[in-house]
Amino acid sequence: MNRLVYFVVLIVAAALVLSGCSVTIIHPPSAASFMEKNEDKLVSNAVGFVTLGDRVNYRSGDVCIAEGVKEVEHSNEWHEDWAYRSIEWPVGAQVSFQKSKGYFKYGFGFDFASPFVQAGLVSDYFGIMGWSNLCLWQFEKIEYAYFQWGGGVSVIEQLPIGDNLRIGLTQHLSRNGREASMVVRGAVVIGYGRSAPVFYDEIGGGGYVSFVPGEKTRVGLEFRYGRDLSYKRVDRVSGQKSTLHRYTIMVDFQGW
């Protein structure tokens, strides 16, 4: 119990420190790692992932728009030559620590540098996972000045095969946070309060397989598809709009 308290204090302290840098990037956590149950101790998870498909990157020459989002090129509260640019990183990493109590499971972790919490129900064949970042207040960024919450819920169906092999299917509805940085005259500005995430709504699904190659550490391979409900890609030349689709491949290590 004392170890769990230490983790809570660590997560809260990290959230207070990192909030000054507007760090609330959030993606759906690994479903395969959440379905791992162990009531005797905390389950440690390390996850690496790569996102393919329609990532947001201004180098491609296209822009993305959203209904109801105030589009402002320059922020008068900073400097007339300053604006924000969205760039979605192709790779990411998560670390989490989870605890089971009967069918209930809860945990704490980091999505890269963003602290988050997760909780839900887990059985051998079915699970419900919810997650949320810890920064709910508004940051300095004017272009996307609305509720800075990110999180979601995932429904998981699992089929155990023998003692070591598991396969599963997932469906999720989430509000993800992707990267954005301040730019001034084309140059990226790095520093305190100079970045904030752009949030978007996503619906999707996927599947995973997990197994134990050795004696203790379980390895999970997970694929997730996401359809962006908030943004459309707009071709600068034709003006044609298209839906953003993301494909994420995750590898997680449980019990390291």
Side-chain angles (χ1 to χ4, degrees):
M1 185 64 183
N2 290 335
R3 187 179 179 184
L4 179 60
V5 173
Y6 295 150
F7 277 119
V8 174
V9 173
L10 175 63
I11 294 296
V12 174
L16 294 176
V17 172
L18 295 174
S19 63
C21 299
S22 300
V23 181
T24 56
I25 298 168
I26 186 72
H27 305 87
S30 168
S33 62
F34 191 76
M35 293 299 288
E36 177 71 9
K37 293 184 62 178
N38 191 328
E39 296 194 17
D40 296 331
K41 61 180 181 179
L42 289 171
V43 176
S44 304
N45 303 287
V47 181
F49 61 89
V50 57
T51 301
L52 308 173
D54 297 315
R55 294 186 300 105
V56 178
N57 192 330
Y58 272 63
R59 295 177 183 176
S60 66
D62 297 338
V63 297
C64 296
I65 62 173
E67 297 294 335
V69 176
K70 183 180 179 182
E71 296 292 343
V72 180
E73 291 186 359
H74 303 297
S75 169
N76 293 329
E77 290 192 6
W78 291 105
H79 190 280
E80 62 180 5
D81 293 330
W82 289 12
Y84 284 97
R85 176 173 296 172
S86 303
I87 298 177
E88 191 169 2
W89 296 346
V91 296
Q94 295 176 346
V95 176
S96 65
F97 305 91
Q98 304 167 6
K99 178 68 175 179
S100 299
K101 187 68 174 180
Y103 291 109
F104 180 69
K105 191 175 187 182
Y106 56 94
F108 313 90
F110 289 90
D111 187 334
F112 188 58
S114 303
F116 69 89
V117 294
Q118 57 185 147
L121 301 176
V122 175
S123 70
D124 291 337
Y125 302 97
F126 182 77
I128 299 178
M129 173 180 64
W131 65 93
S132 172
N133 62 12
L134 297 181
C135 301
L136 307 182
W137 49 89
Q138 179 179 313
F139 294 104
E140 300 88 351
K141 187 168 184 179
I142 297 178
E143 287 86 340
Y144 302 89
Y146 56 92
F147 199 41
Q148 299 291 289
W149 175 81
V153 62
S154 180
V155 178
I156 309 164
E157 302 87 23
Q158 179 174 266
L159 178 62
I161 302 177
D163 296 332
N164 293 332
L165 180 63
R166 303 170 187 169
I167 59 175
L169 297 176
T170 67
Q171 304 84 42
H172 73 272
L173 179 63
S174 62
R175 187 166 186 254
N176 304 340
R178 57 176 169 81
E179 301 80 2
S181 58
M182 177 175 286
V183 295
V184 51
R185 296 175 182 174
V188 176
V189 179
I190 301 176
Y192 181 87
R194 298 296 191 263
S195 63
V198 175
F199 291 97
Y200 64 93
D201 301 319
E202 181 182 88
I203 187 171
Y208 67 85
V209 56
S210 67
F211 54 94
V212 182
E215 296 181 356
K216 296 181 178 180
T217 301
R218 176 174 290 273
V219 177
L221 302 176
E222 185 171 346
F223 170 81
R224 183 171 66 235
Y225 161 76
R227 177 187 177 94
D228 195 329
L229 301 177
S230 301
Y231 284 81
K232 298 287 185 180
R233 182 180 297 279
V234 181
D235 186 272
R236 289 184 183 270
V237 178
S238 65
Q240 184 178 359
K241 298 180 182 179
S242 60
T243 301
L244 296 175
H245 303 273
R246 294 176 176 81
Y247 307 93
T248 301
I249 301 174
M250 308 181 73
V251 179
D252 66 81
F253 301 91
Q254 309 160 26
W256 41 271

